[in-house]
Amino acid sequence: MSRLRIAIIGGGVSGTALAVHLLLRGAQTPDVTLIERGRRIGPGLAYGGSDQAHLLNVRANNLSISDHKPDDFSRWLSKRKGGDQSKTFAPRALYGRYVAEALQRAEGAHWFRRPLKRVRGDAVALRREGEGVEITLASGKTIPADKAVLALGNPAAIVPEPISSVEVIDAWDAAAIARVPSNSDVLLVGTGLTMVDVVLSLSKRPRSGTIYALSHRGLTPHAHADIPPAVQGTLAQSAPLSAALSELRNVARGVHERGEPWQHVVDGLRKATPTLWRGLTSEQQLRFLRHARSYWDIHRHRAAPEAAARIADLRKTGKLRILRGEVVSAGAAGRYIQIVHRQRGSMVRHRFDVANVINCTGASQNLARSRDPLVMQLLSDGLVRAHATGLGLDVNDDGGVLDARGAADTRLFALGPITQGAFWESTAVPEIRARAAALAAIL
């Protein structure tokens, strides 16, 4: 009997985690083809850099790639750095190395055959073929499979319209960021975790210029707390969304008043969040995204304490200034870029010049604006549909992709950030790991 053939499109953390879990199924391991457009399989965009100042925002003891060995990463890290590293926030680049090695170890366990095939290429089309699917690469090569998984990772950030008229540096372009002059001012658009990484890179050299970081509300990520006794958050699923969020704030306030970190109220809610999210109507989800998302993000997706402390120091000295509001216009002014900024809640406009503008708005899961040939083809052919929130693909509870009519095809699944609209919690390693294990069993 022929073995099941599974093609995974995307060799970042999501695709690699699924491949690892499939390879750990022993005699049940199918033939796996892992397709990645980049040079390296494993790290992906998030963990493929080399800047040691960029730290993980999850402690090492919760970052194993495998559900079967929850302490795998912390043990791996401790062997390399010495001592107990379970509670540390390691460099992101080091985690990328771990993910790649974890895949090699899982692959090496199959000494009697090689079930994993690595393919470097850009998947540009996927079509149903008989009872399976056929994937076409940009090179023209086709790959047949019985089932396919879209593990496309984080797409490129979209340049906001007001700054699209000038040259904008992508936050992931390390070479371009290294060329930003330290004696000139620079504007970062976006104030989340991507901004934190870019500021840490820019501030490695002494700066005489100012780093401006701007977002609509000017909110920045909170820091992780020291590890306290775990506190479980509560959120009434049956209550209206506004009442449920008010309850969460009250619980966190009570915990804080007792002298305990509020962070663990949010963390205690983590496993229940996908169920709570899927229990909301589409209208409620959209209301949450409009009014509460930015506040949720800074409390839920927190910075490593060392990174947060560095950001606080830079703000205190005036080297980093956080702006609220919007860019009204941006245009060339000699060797500089003139920014016109309107403060939130005010009609007054301010002008200042910067040498560079860096887009730190983060990955965009808005499929309507995607320029990925594969995503565009799948949408055009009706094989997939966007989630009602506009965040990624619409999938069922098992990760099965829903087509334009809302029907699930047992040949096509999705995993990772592209399922954010369906599960909300789908971008961090602990959630990706758990869903990869569940999907491996389903496949």
Side-chain angles (χ1 to χ4, degrees), residues 209-211 313-321:
T210 301
I211 302 172
D313 286 344
L314 290 167
R315 294 184 70 175
K316 185 176 181 179
T317 60
K319 294 298 182 183
L320 170 63
R321 293 186 57 188

Side-chain angles (χ1 to χ4, degrees), residues 264-303:
H264 278 251
V265 175
V266 178
D267 292 345
L269 189 65
R270 188 166 178 169
K271 287 185 178 180
T273 301
T275 301
L276 293 168
W277 177 257
R278 290 178 76 79
L280 299 176
T281 64
S282 295
E283 190 275 333
Q284 288 174 320
Q285 291 175 346
L286 288 169
R287 279 178 51 216
F288 176 88
L289 293 174
R290 284 195 302 270
H291 302 296
R293 178 179 185 175
S294 56
Y295 296 99
W296 173 268
D297 283 349
I298 65 169
H299 290 84
R300 165 65 185 82
H301 299 289
R302 303 186 294 272

Side-chain angles (χ1 to χ4, degrees), residues 110-172:
H110 294 266
W111 57 269
F112 50 92
R113 74 181 184 96
R114 290 286 180 259
L116 176 65
K117 183 177 181 181
R118 303 162 184 253
V119 174
R120 183 179 176 186
D122 195 355
V124 296
L126 183 151
R127 293 180 173 83
R128 296 166 179 157
E129 189 69 31
E131 295 184 356
V133 298
E134 185 177 79
I135 300 159
T136 303
L137 304 183
S139 65
K141 179 181 178 179
T142 58
I143 299 173
D146 299 305
K147 299 178 186 292
V149 179
L150 302 172
L152 305 181
N154 289 303
I158 294 173
V159 177
E161 187 60 36
I163 61 171
S164 62
S165 59
V166 299
E167 184 177 352
V168 178
I169 297 174
D170 186 89
W172 298 100

Side-chain angles (χ1 to χ4, degrees), residues 163 185-200 202 207 209-221 311 314-315 318-327 339 341-344 352-354 356-361:
I163 61 171
D185 297 345
V186 59
L187 173 66
L188 278 53
V189 180
T191 59
L193 288 170
T194 302
M195 177 275 294
V196 171
D197 280 349
V198 173
V199 169
L200 294 176
L202 290 173
R207 293 193 63 84
T210 301
I211 302 172
Y212 295 95
L214 178 147
S215 67
H216 187 57
R217 291 186 171 90
L219 300 172
T220 59
I311 294 296
L314 290 167
R315 294 184 70 175
K319 294 298 182 183
L320 170 63
R321 293 186 57 188
I322 304 297
L323 305 177
R324 294 191 308 157
E326 63 179 351
V327 174
I339 303 296
H341 161 243
R342 184 178 67 81
Q343 181 79 6
R344 179 176 167 84
F352 58 95
D353 293 343
V354 295
N356 298 97
V357 177
I358 303 175
N359 184 14
C360 299
T361 55

Side-chain angles (χ1 to χ4, degrees), residues 150 277-278 365 387 391-395 399 401 413-427 435:
L150 302 172
W277 177 257
R278 290 178 76 79
Q365 292 294 348
H387 190 266
L391 295 176
L393 296 173
D394 201 4
V395 301
V401 173
F413 295 81
L415 175 68
I418 201 169
T419 65
Q420 187 175 22
F423 300 117
W424 187 238
E425 288 282 4
S426 66
T427 60
R435 297 210 68 84

